[in-house]
Amino acid sequence: MASRRYSQYFPLIFVIADLAALNLSVFAANFLKFNTFNYPHDSFPLLYALLNVLWIGVFFGAKLHEIKRENRLLDHLNGVLSALVVNLAIVFAFWFIAKPYYYSREHLFYTYLSFTVLIVLWRSIWHYFIRYYRSKGFNVRNVLIIGYNQLTEDLVNVFEVDKGIGYNFLGYFDDDLAIDKRTGTIGDVREFAIKNEVDIIFCYLPKIGEEATAQLVNFAENNLIKVKIISQFSALGFNNLAIQNYGSIPTINITALPLDKKVNQYVKRLFDVIFASLVLVLILSWLVPFIALLIRLESKGPIFFRQERNGLNNKKFKIWKFRSMYVHDDSKVIQARKGDRRITRIGAFLRKSSIDELPQFFNVLAGDMSVVGPRPHAVKHNEEFRKKIDRFIQRHAVKPGITGLAQAKGFRGETAEFSDMSGRVRLDRFYVKNWSLILDFKIIILTIVSILKGSENAY
């Protein structure tokens, strides 16, 4: 059994490869910024050492060396990108405190851009290599299952179809004599497990009592074997399950969401603040005065339009936009339509290009919104569609976003038909249940592509 356990070397391999990617990125940034591989300042060794030490701390803090064989590539990369966001936030904090005027922000940008590309690339290659390696019978884990039914048979099908996870199924153990596929009885498990070097025992709870389970766990711990429970909840199709402890009593939360976890909330908030700050400094700092001038030259009224929307936990907040319509009585909330006479000429351009949404980055910094999330609707529309669409309110389990999965998939503009809104809600609910940082990156990229291509629904 020990001869198959190569994963003890993974932490060393991963930290060395990550540091190699980081150091290559630093020297690439030197060349891109200064046309030399040496940073032209005496304090470069300090910066060089700081970036390496910080990454080592984040690496072990985020447990980037613990790669579960059951994880998909997206799960793996989501952890890596989350760690990158945390690392960059720490670097920015040091930058803000020390105010090192002699360091180049452009150099830092090149460093982390290159590092992101390299670390995603090498870890993707590793993911596919190790799965191929396991599919050939190396670094595998021997498993057996206590209890036979359709659910445990489906589990075995997963092992057989997805050879990359490296599970070698050895047999079912059940006391039901009518089951032809069984390898033995539950009483045979101990002897079989020792003889065949079993690594993991999957246990279907309805097939084994509490006392027998406790004895099995005691046996497993004495032989370095892991026990994994399959319960009746596994058959209900809930994808978001989480264990919560109340004192010494574990309970199963069947409605858990990714953003219920504090660590995910912190990572998403850090990403929002970093992204929104970059947009504010690089774009809005010069764009706001320019757009403000164009708006005021065409029509009288305020530069910004503010309206009440429903946000996280359905709480109301004021959303910011560039004003794109003539000032009018907005006591009746009416969605903009194609050819709407209320829209100014500059407003038509702002709406078509989605530039009118950019002031919402102030909402992001204020904490009312996120860069990515379900788009917030006018309060009246929210109340109207909540009555018509089942589980509509689940959109408000996370912060609303400047863009969302629905918008990235083409659901923009007016929701004239009921199917338009139900389609949006379906995608919004998918996002809420399947959030990951890498999904946010994908939505941002798809949104940018959609804006550049143009949409007939944007008006």
Side-chain angles (χ1 to χ4, degrees), residues 3-4 6 69 130-141 163-167:
S3 63
R4 292 182 283 111
Y6 308 117
R69 61 179 62 222
I130 196 65
R131 286 179 61 82
Y132 175 79
Y133 186 69
R134 286 169 178 158
S135 71
K136 295 302 179 181
F138 301 99
N139 190 235
V140 298
R141 297 291 180 263
K163 295 289 187 181
I165 62 177
Y167 279 173

Side-chain angles (χ1 to χ4, degrees), residues 337-388:
R337 295 179 171 84
K338 197 166 187 176
D340 198 316
R341 294 184 178 182
R342 296 172 298 168
I343 301 175
T344 63
R345 285 177 297 175
I346 182 62
F349 168 74
L350 296 178
R351 298 171 73 94
K352 186 72 174 177
S353 60
S354 296
I355 292 176
D356 64 319
E357 310 283 2
L358 289 180
Q360 287 160 41
F361 282 103
F362 291 111
N363 286 116
V364 173
L365 290 176
D368 295 323
M369 294 180 67
S370 181
V371 175
V372 180
R375 283 293 298 159
H377 303 131
V379 173
K380 178 183 177 182
H381 296 147
N382 227 53
E383 294 172 351
E384 176 185 345
F385 285 109
R386 182 181 177 180
K387 299 173 183 176
K388 298 178 179 179

Side-chain angles (χ1 to χ4, degrees), residues 288-321:
V288 169
F290 178 67
I291 297 297
L293 179 62
L294 293 178
I295 291 174
R296 291 302 297 272
L297 285 175
E298 183 173 10
S299 63
K300 294 180 180 180
I303 304 302
F304 298 104
F305 168 75
R306 297 184 68 198
Q307 190 180 58
E308 204 168 58
R309 299 288 171 95
N310 297 89
L312 178 64
N313 296 323
N314 213 31
K315 293 181 179 178
K316 295 177 182 177
F317 72 98
K318 293 283 189 179
I319 196 172
W320 287 72
K321 291 186 177 186

Side-chain angles (χ1 to χ4, degrees), residues 157-266:
N157 287 336
V158 172
F159 300 157
E160 293 176 347
V161 170
D162 190 2
K163 295 289 187 181
I165 62 177
Y167 279 173
N168 180 33
F169 174 64
L170 300 180
Y172 299 103
F173 289 79
D174 199 301
D175 288 339
D176 187 347
L177 300 178
I179 297 173
D180 296 331
K181 291 187 176 182
R182 69 180 190 143
T183 302
T185 65
I186 296 176
D188 298 329
V189 167
R190 291 171 178 79
E191 182 181 351
F192 183 91
I194 295 297
K195 184 178 180 180
N196 293 276
E197 298 186 332
V198 168
D199 299 291
I200 304 171
I201 296 174
F202 287 89
C203 189
Y204 184 58
L205 279 186
K207 291 287 186 173
I208 184 170
E210 292 182 12
E211 184 178 347
T213 301
Q215 293 175 357
L216 178 67
V217 170
N218 184 61
F219 160 78
E221 289 179 345
N222 281 321
N223 291 277
L224 298 179
I225 298 174
K226 294 181 179 180
V227 176
K228 299 189 177 184
I229 299 297
I230 308 170
S231 74
Q232 296 94 323
F233 285 109
S234 305
L236 298 178
F238 294 112
N239 295 323
N240 300 300
L241 299 176
I243 302 296
Q244 294 179 329
N245 291 309
Y246 294 88
S248 60
I249 302 174
T251 63
I252 300 177
N253 180 2
I254 63 175
T255 58
L257 300 174
L259 284 170
D260 287 341
K261 296 180 180 179
K262 288 294 183 183
V263 63
N264 287 343
Q265 293 175 20
Y266 292 142

